[in-house]
Amino acid sequence: LNDFPAIPKDDIRFRLTLPSSIIGTWVSTARSFHSNDALFPALQGFCMTFDGNDIMFAATDRFKLFADTYTNDSSIGIDEKVSIVVHNKVFNPLLSLLSLDEKVDITIGTTCVTFAVGDAKLNCRLIEGAYPNVKSIIPQTSVVDVEVPKSDLFDSVKRTLIVANGSSRQLVFNVSNDTMHISAVDMEMGREGKEECPCNVVKGDEIIEFSLKGDNLVSCLGAIDSSDVVFHLISKERAILMSDKERPSKIILTMPMV
């Protein structure tokens, strides 16, 4: 044991307990959203924000974002909102510990965080640096809302990506009446693909064309549990919000390609 570094002593700011199932769901979903760019170390982590009874878990790589909020049974006992950033790799061993107990005890310090599951404890240092203000990124209004069957959209996107440009992976979407048209063009290889997917325009009547990176959309669709996905559109230049009807607290967002 003397060969291992000592666990740093840290000032304890507060403690709380979360269900293991919530932690497991968050981490499994967020794995597709964090950045691997060493130039943005904070984005290599997952951000946890504690505000009253609410705990928000977020991950982003600047092009797509996942966030979900869980309301605790009791107040955490802090007077101000606190955010911490934990490196994504810390959660790999934590996932293997979640089966030991139904709850995870979390101790937040000034520079470290400790996760305790049963008799096992996982201590790690927090990532320093500013994390994007998630709530300021989320569009508060929309011009057009379009509901699409997730499985149909996923299959159409995967087929269209086969002929998409290998560098940009760009897909173009156009909604008219009850159909979402999806297309991709690769000028270098001289190929083109088109797909159609049924949809329901639940708000607005303006036709909006927008472009997305197909791989980002696949990640976003994988984070949605409901059988239908709702796109909240403002314009082709603005971030696109996708909502999960089974879990309204979940936020899925992706940036368009302009």
Side-chain angles (χ1 to χ4, degrees):
L1 291 178
N2 293 331
D3 294 334
F4 287 87
I7 296 177
K9 294 181 179 181
D10 196 14
D11 296 330
I12 297 176
R13 302 173 71 182
F14 58 94
R15 294 186 174 94
L16 73 150
T17 300
L18 291 177
S20 299
S21 59
I22 291 293
I23 297 289
T25 300
W26 281 345
V27 175
S28 299
T29 305
R31 280 174 163 176
S32 301
F33 288 82
H34 68 78
S35 174
N36 292 313
D37 192 339
L39 294 176
F40 302 94
L43 300 186
Q44 292 181 323
F46 298 145
C47 180
M48 300 181 72
T49 301
F50 308 91
D51 186 8
N53 291 48
D54 294 335
I55 301 99
M56 185 174 69
F57 190 94
T60 182
D61 60 1
R62 297 182 299 133
F63 306 105
K64 59 186 183 296
L65 177 143
F66 161 78
D68 194 10
T69 301
Y70 172 78
T71 301
N72 215 13
D73 294 334
S74 58
S75 177
I76 301 170
I78 53 176
D79 297 329
E80 58 183 359
K81 183 167 65 175
V82 175
S83 295
I84 63 171
V85 182
V86 184
H87 199 284
N88 71 86
K89 291 184 178 180
V90 171
F91 290 91
N92 293 333
L94 180 61
L95 284 178
S96 64
L97 298 174
L98 294 181
S99 60
L100 299 177
D101 202 317
E102 295 181 352
K103 295 183 177 181
V104 179
D105 296 319
I106 306 175
T107 303
I108 312 295
T110 305
T111 60
C112 297
V113 60
T114 301
F115 299 93
V117 187
D119 295 328
K121 288 186 177 182
L122 179 64
N123 181 280
C124 68
R125 182 173 292 278
L126 300 174
I127 296 179
E128 298 181 3
Y131 201 86
N133 185 338
V134 173
K135 291 189 176 181
S136 68
I137 300 172
I138 303 168
Q140 301 301 313
T141 60
S142 63
V143 175
V144 177
D145 292 347
V146 182
E147 185 176 12
V148 190
K150 187 181 74 169
S151 60
D152 291 348
L153 177 59
F154 184 84
D155 292 342
S156 296
V157 167
K158 294 291 284 187
R159 288 192 294 266
T160 312
L161 273 174
I162 296 174
V163 298
N165 181 273
S167 300
S168 68
R169 306 287 282 171
Q170 182 177 16
L171 301 181
V172 179
F173 297 79
N174 193 304
V175 178
S176 61
N177 298 324
D178 57 355
T179 304
M180 176 177 280
H181 304 272
I182 308 168
S183 61
V185 177
D186 187 346
M187 300 297 292
E188 297 176 359
M189 301 296 294
R191 58 192 183 187
E192 180 182 5
K194 294 182 179 181
E195 286 278 341
E196 291 184 354
C197 185
C199 68
N200 178 29
V201 179
V202 295
K203 175 185 175 182
D205 55 6
E206 181 179 342
I207 297 177
I208 294 182
E209 181 180 289
F210 58 96
S211 299
L212 297 175
K213 185 172 184 176
D215 299 314
N216 288 347
L217 180 57
V218 168
S219 297
C220 292
L221 293 176
I224 294 174
D225 298 323
S226 61
S227 58
D228 297 312
V229 55
V230 180
F231 289 81
H232 304 274
L233 309 171
I234 301 175
S235 71
K236 64 181 181 180
E237 296 91 6
R238 298 286 297 277
I240 296 172
L241 178 66
M242 285 167 267
S243 59
D244 189 332
K245 293 196 297 184
E246 290 190 6
R247 189 169 177 84
S249 63
K250 185 185 294 184
I251 295 165
I252 310 294
L253 184 146
T254 184
M255 298 301 296
M257 299 181 71
V258 180

